[in-house]
PDB file of all heavy atoms in Angstrom:
ATOM      1  N   ASP A 132      11.296 -10.672  10.502  1.00 96.00           N
ATOM      2  CA  ASP A 132      10.530  -9.965   9.511  1.00 96.00           C
ATOM      3  C   ASP A 132      10.344 -10.777   8.241  1.00 96.00           C
ATOM      4  O   ASP A 132       9.486 -10.427   7.405  1.00 96.00           O
ATOM      5  CB  ASP A 132      11.147  -8.608   9.150  1.00 96.00           C
ATOM      6  CG  ASP A 132      11.198  -7.673  10.337  1.00 96.00           C
ATOM      7  OD1 ASP A 132      10.257  -7.730  11.200  1.00 96.00           O
ATOM      8  OD2 ASP A 132      12.113  -6.898  10.409  1.00 96.00           O
ATOM      9  N   GLU A 133      11.120 -11.847   8.090  1.00 95.00           N
ATOM     10  CA  GLU A 133      11.141 -12.706   6.891  1.00 95.00           C
ATOM     11  C   GLU A 133      11.259 -11.748   5.674  1.00 95.00           C
ATOM     12  O   GLU A 133      12.104 -10.909   5.658  1.00 95.00           O
ATOM     13  CB  GLU A 133       9.875 -13.538   6.854  1.00 95.00           C
ATOM     14  CG  GLU A 133       9.720 -14.467   8.017  1.00 95.00           C
ATOM     15  CD  GLU A 133       8.406 -15.237   8.005  1.00 95.00           C
ATOM     16  OE1 GLU A 133       7.808 -15.345   6.942  1.00 95.00           O
ATOM     17  OE2 GLU A 133       8.041 -15.690   9.089  1.00 95.00           O
ATOM     18  N   ASN A 134      10.349 -11.917   4.656  1.00 95.00           N
ATOM     19  CA  ASN A 134      10.415 -11.007   3.501  1.00 95.00           C
ATOM     20  C   ASN A 134       9.189 -10.074   3.455  1.00 95.00           C
ATOM     21  O   ASN A 134       8.823  -9.599   2.399  1.00 95.00           O
ATOM     22  CB  ASN A 134      10.610 -11.781   2.221  1.00 95.00           C
ATOM     23  CG  ASN A 134       9.394 -12.616   1.859  1.00 95.00           C
ATOM     24  OD1 ASN A 134       8.553 -12.924   2.695  1.00 95.00           O
ATOM     25  ND2 ASN A 134       9.256 -12.966   0.586  1.00 95.00           N
ATOM     26  N   PHE A 135       8.633  -9.788   4.635  1.00 97.00           N
ATOM     27  CA  PHE A 135       7.550  -8.856   4.725  1.00 97.00           C
ATOM     28  C   PHE A 135       8.123  -7.423   4.547  1.00 97.00           C
ATOM     29  O   PHE A 135       9.309  -7.193   4.862  1.00 97.00           O
ATOM     30  CB  PHE A 135       6.853  -8.956   6.047  1.00 97.00           C
ATOM     31  CG  PHE A 135       5.894 -10.121   6.104  1.00 97.00           C
ATOM     32  CD1 PHE A 135       6.248 -11.265   6.775  1.00 97.00           C
ATOM     33  CD2 PHE A 135       4.583 -10.041   5.542  1.00 97.00           C
ATOM     34  CE1 PHE A 135       5.363 -12.368   6.788  1.00 97.00           C
ATOM     35  CE2 PHE A 135       3.755 -11.126   5.618  1.00 97.00           C
ATOM     36  CZ  PHE A 135       4.120 -12.279   6.251  1.00 97.00           C
ATOM     37  N   VAL A 136       7.284  -6.496   4.164  1.00 97.00           N
ATOM     38  CA  VAL A 136       7.759  -5.140   4.035  1.00 97.00           C
ATOM     39  C   VAL A 136       7.578  -4.327   5.340  1.00 97.00           C
ATOM     40  O   VAL A 136       7.937  -3.169   5.395  1.00 97.00           O
ATOM     41  CB  VAL A 136       7.122  -4.379   2.842  1.00 97.00           C
ATOM     42  CG1 VAL A 136       7.427  -5.029   1.498  1.00 97.00           C
ATOM     43  CG2 VAL A 136       5.559  -4.346   3.077  1.00 97.00           C
ATOM     44  N   PHE A 137       7.008  -4.957   6.348  1.00 97.00           N
ATOM     45  CA  PHE A 137       6.783  -4.285   7.656  1.00 97.00           C
ATOM     46  C   PHE A 137       7.346  -5.176   8.735  1.00 97.00           C
ATOM     47  O   PHE A 137       7.636  -6.355   8.555  1.00 97.00           O
ATOM     48  CB  PHE A 137       5.334  -4.006   7.876  1.00 97.00           C
ATOM     49  CG  PHE A 137       4.466  -5.216   7.801  1.00 97.00           C
ATOM     50  CD1 PHE A 137       4.337  -6.124   8.847  1.00 97.00           C
ATOM     51  CD2 PHE A 137       3.710  -5.453   6.648  1.00 97.00           C
ATOM     52  CE1 PHE A 137       3.544  -7.238   8.775  1.00 97.00           C
ATOM     53  CE2 PHE A 137       2.897  -6.565   6.562  1.00 97.00           C
ATOM     54  CZ  PHE A 137       2.811  -7.487   7.611  1.00 97.00           C
ATOM     55  N   ARG A 138       7.570  -4.531   9.912  1.00 97.00           N
ATOM     56  CA  ARG A 138       8.065  -5.185  11.050  1.00 97.00           C
ATOM     57  C   ARG A 138       7.063  -6.208  11.575  1.00 97.00           C
ATOM     58  O   ARG A 138       5.927  -5.869  11.847  1.00 97.00           O
ATOM     59  CB  ARG A 138       8.357  -4.202  12.187  1.00 97.00           C
ATOM     60  CG  ARG A 138       8.689  -4.709  13.579  1.00 97.00           C
ATOM     61  CD  ARG A 138       9.938  -5.609  13.731  1.00 97.00           C
ATOM     62  NE  ARG A 138      11.021  -5.406  12.846  1.00 97.00           N
ATOM     63  CZ  ARG A 138      12.102  -4.639  13.106  1.00 97.00           C
ATOM     64  NH1 ARG A 138      12.184  -3.967  14.203  1.00 97.00           N
ATOM     65  NH2 ARG A 138      13.048  -4.511  12.209  1.00 97.00           N
ATOM     66  N   VAL A 139       7.446  -7.463  11.646  1.00 96.00           N
ATOM     67  CA  VAL A 139       6.582  -8.552  12.173  1.00 96.00           C
ATOM     68  C   VAL A 139       6.844  -8.654  13.662  1.00 96.00           C
ATOM     69  O   VAL A 139       7.942  -8.974  14.107  1.00 96.00           O
ATOM     70  CB  VAL A 139       6.820  -9.902  11.447  1.00 96.00           C
ATOM     71  CG1 VAL A 139       6.045 -11.020  12.119  1.00 96.00           C
ATOM     72  CG2 VAL A 139       6.595  -9.802   9.951  1.00 96.00           C
ATOM     73  N   ARG A 140       5.802  -8.325  14.413  1.00 94.00           N
ATOM     74  CA  ARG A 140       5.932  -8.357  15.897  1.00 94.00           C
ATOM     75  C   ARG A 140       4.573  -8.546  16.514  1.00 94.00           C
ATOM     76  O   ARG A 140       3.572  -8.537  15.798  1.00 94.00           O
ATOM     77  CB  ARG A 140       6.578  -7.052  16.391  1.00 94.00           C
ATOM     78  CG  ARG A 140       5.853  -5.795  16.076  1.00 94.00           C
ATOM     79  CD  ARG A 140       6.529  -4.633  16.705  1.00 94.00           C
ATOM     80  NE  ARG A 140       6.073  -3.353  16.167  1.00 94.00           N
ATOM     81  CZ  ARG A 140       4.871  -2.790  16.408  1.00 94.00           C
ATOM     82  NH1 ARG A 140       4.033  -3.366  17.226  1.00 94.00           N
ATOM     83  NH2 ARG A 140       4.536  -1.647  15.856  1.00 94.00           N
ATOM     84  N   GLU A 141       4.529  -8.715  17.786  1.00 94.00           N
ATOM     85  CA  GLU A 141       3.256  -8.877  18.503  1.00 94.00           C
ATOM     86  C   GLU A 141       2.327  -7.702  18.214  1.00 94.00           C
ATOM     87  O   GLU A 141       2.793  -6.524  18.180  1.00 94.00           O
ATOM     88  CB  GLU A 141       3.483  -8.992  19.985  1.00 94.00           C
ATOM     89  CG  GLU A 141       2.243  -9.391  20.762  1.00 94.00           C
ATOM     90  CD  GLU A 141       2.543  -9.576  22.257  1.00 94.00           C
ATOM     91  OE1 GLU A 141       3.609 -10.030  22.572  1.00 94.00           O
ATOM     92  OE2 GLU A 141       1.628  -9.291  23.041  1.00 94.00           O
ATOM     93  N   GLY A 142       1.063  -8.009  17.942  1.00 92.00           N
ATOM     94  CA  GLY A 142       0.077  -6.918  17.692  1.00 92.00           C
ATOM     95  C   GLY A 142      -0.050  -6.642  16.177  1.00 92.00           C
ATOM     96  O   GLY A 142      -0.992  -5.923  15.793  1.00 92.00           O
ATOM     97  N   VAL A 143       0.803  -7.195  15.351  1.00 96.00           N
ATOM     98  CA  VAL A 143       0.665  -7.020  13.897  1.00 96.00           C
ATOM     99  C   VAL A 143      -0.250  -8.066  13.394  1.00 96.00           C
ATOM    100  O   VAL A 143      -0.086  -9.252  13.697  1.00 96.00           O
ATOM    101  CB  VAL A 143       2.067  -7.042  13.211  1.00 96.00           C
ATOM    102  CG1 VAL A 143       1.978  -7.142  11.749  1.00 96.00           C
ATOM    103  CG2 VAL A 143       2.920  -5.868  13.641  1.00 96.00           C
ATOM    104  N   ARG A 144      -1.150  -7.669  12.566  1.00 96.00           N
ATOM    105  CA  ARG A 144      -2.178  -8.592  12.037  1.00 96.00           C
ATOM    106  C   ARG A 144      -1.776  -8.983  10.604  1.00 96.00           C
ATOM    107  O   ARG A 144      -1.590  -8.119   9.756  1.00 96.00           O
ATOM    108  CB  ARG A 144      -3.531  -7.873  11.975  1.00 96.00           C
ATOM    109  CG  ARG A 144      -4.661  -8.740  11.484  1.00 96.00           C
ATOM    110  CD  ARG A 144      -5.959  -7.931  11.611  1.00 96.00           C
ATOM    111  NE  ARG A 144      -5.994  -6.829  10.713  1.00 96.00           N
ATOM    112  CZ  ARG A 144      -6.752  -6.756   9.639  1.00 96.00           C
ATOM    113  NH1 ARG A 144      -7.610  -7.687   9.375  1.00 96.00           N
ATOM    114  NH2 ARG A 144      -6.695  -5.694   8.835  1.00 96.00           N
ATOM    115  N   ILE A 145      -1.616 -10.282  10.363  1.00 96.00           N
ATOM    116  CA  ILE A 145      -1.329 -10.810   9.014  1.00 96.00           C
ATOM    117  C   ILE A 145      -2.448 -11.707   8.646  1.00 96.00           C
ATOM    118  O   ILE A 145      -2.558 -12.836   9.147  1.00 96.00           O
ATOM    119  CB  ILE A 145       0.056 -11.532   8.965  1.00 96.00           C
ATOM    120  CG1 ILE A 145       1.146 -10.611   9.470  1.00 96.00           C
ATOM    121  CG2 ILE A 145       0.331 -12.004   7.566  1.00 96.00           C
ATOM    122  CD1 ILE A 145       2.512 -11.314   9.610  1.00 96.00           C
ATOM    123  N   THR A 146      -3.238 -11.235   7.682  1.00 96.00           N
ATOM    124  CA  THR A 146      -4.390 -12.026   7.134  1.00 96.00           C
ATOM    125  C   THR A 146      -3.824 -12.915   6.069  1.00 96.00           C
ATOM    126  O   THR A 146      -2.719 -12.717   5.564  1.00 96.00           O
ATOM    127  CB  THR A 146      -5.493 -11.086   6.555  1.00 96.00           C
ATOM    128  OG1 THR A 146      -4.889 -10.378   5.475  1.00 96.00           O
ATOM    129  CG2 THR A 146      -5.989 -10.073   7.570  1.00 96.00           C
ATOM    130  N   PRO A 147      -4.651 -13.904   5.580  1.00 96.00           N
ATOM    131  CA  PRO A 147      -4.196 -14.732   4.428  1.00 96.00           C
ATOM    132  C   PRO A 147      -3.900 -13.907   3.224  1.00 96.00           C
ATOM    133  O   PRO A 147      -2.913 -14.082   2.542  1.00 96.00           O
ATOM    134  CB  PRO A 147      -5.399 -15.659   4.213  1.00 96.00           C
ATOM    135  CG  PRO A 147      -6.049 -15.820   5.563  1.00 96.00           C
ATOM    136  CD  PRO A 147      -5.894 -14.431   6.186  1.00 96.00           C
ATOM    137  N   VAL A 148      -4.734 -12.852   2.927  1.00 95.00           N
ATOM    138  CA  VAL A 148      -4.420 -11.995   1.797  1.00 95.00           C
ATOM    139  C   VAL A 148      -3.203 -11.126   2.105  1.00 95.00           C
ATOM    140  O   VAL A 148      -2.340 -11.000   1.252  1.00 95.00           O
ATOM    141  CB  VAL A 148      -5.647 -11.117   1.466  1.00 95.00           C
ATOM    142  CG1 VAL A 148      -5.256 -10.048   0.371  1.00 95.00           C
ATOM    143  CG2 VAL A 148      -6.826 -11.959   0.954  1.00 95.00           C
ATOM    144  N   GLY A 149      -3.106 -10.580   3.276  1.00 95.00           N
ATOM    145  CA  GLY A 149      -1.926  -9.799   3.686  1.00 95.00           C
ATOM    146  C   GLY A 149      -0.642 -10.613   3.646  1.00 95.00           C
ATOM    147  O   GLY A 149       0.371 -10.111   3.320  1.00 95.00           O
ATOM    148  N   ASN A 150      -0.756 -11.911   3.931  1.00 96.00           N
ATOM    149  CA  ASN A 150       0.455 -12.806   3.834  1.00 96.00           C
ATOM    150  C   ASN A 150       0.974 -12.831   2.425  1.00 96.00           C
ATOM    151  O   ASN A 150       2.172 -13.012   2.214  1.00 96.00           O
ATOM    152  CB  ASN A 150       0.088 -14.199   4.289  1.00 96.00           C
ATOM    153  CG  ASN A 150       1.315 -15.087   4.462  1.00 96.00           C
ATOM    154  OD1 ASN A 150       2.339 -14.644   4.971  1.00 96.00           O
ATOM    155  ND2 ASN A 150       1.162 -16.330   4.018  1.00 96.00           N
TER     156      ASN A 150
END
Side-chain angles (χ1 to χ4, degrees):
D132 296 327
E133 301 175 21
N134 67 338
F135 283 99
V136 296
F137 55 80
R138 169 61 31 93
V139 175
R140 59 177 166 75
E141 188 175 328
V143 169
R144 182 176 68 110
I145 303 174
T146 65
V148 172
N150 190 42

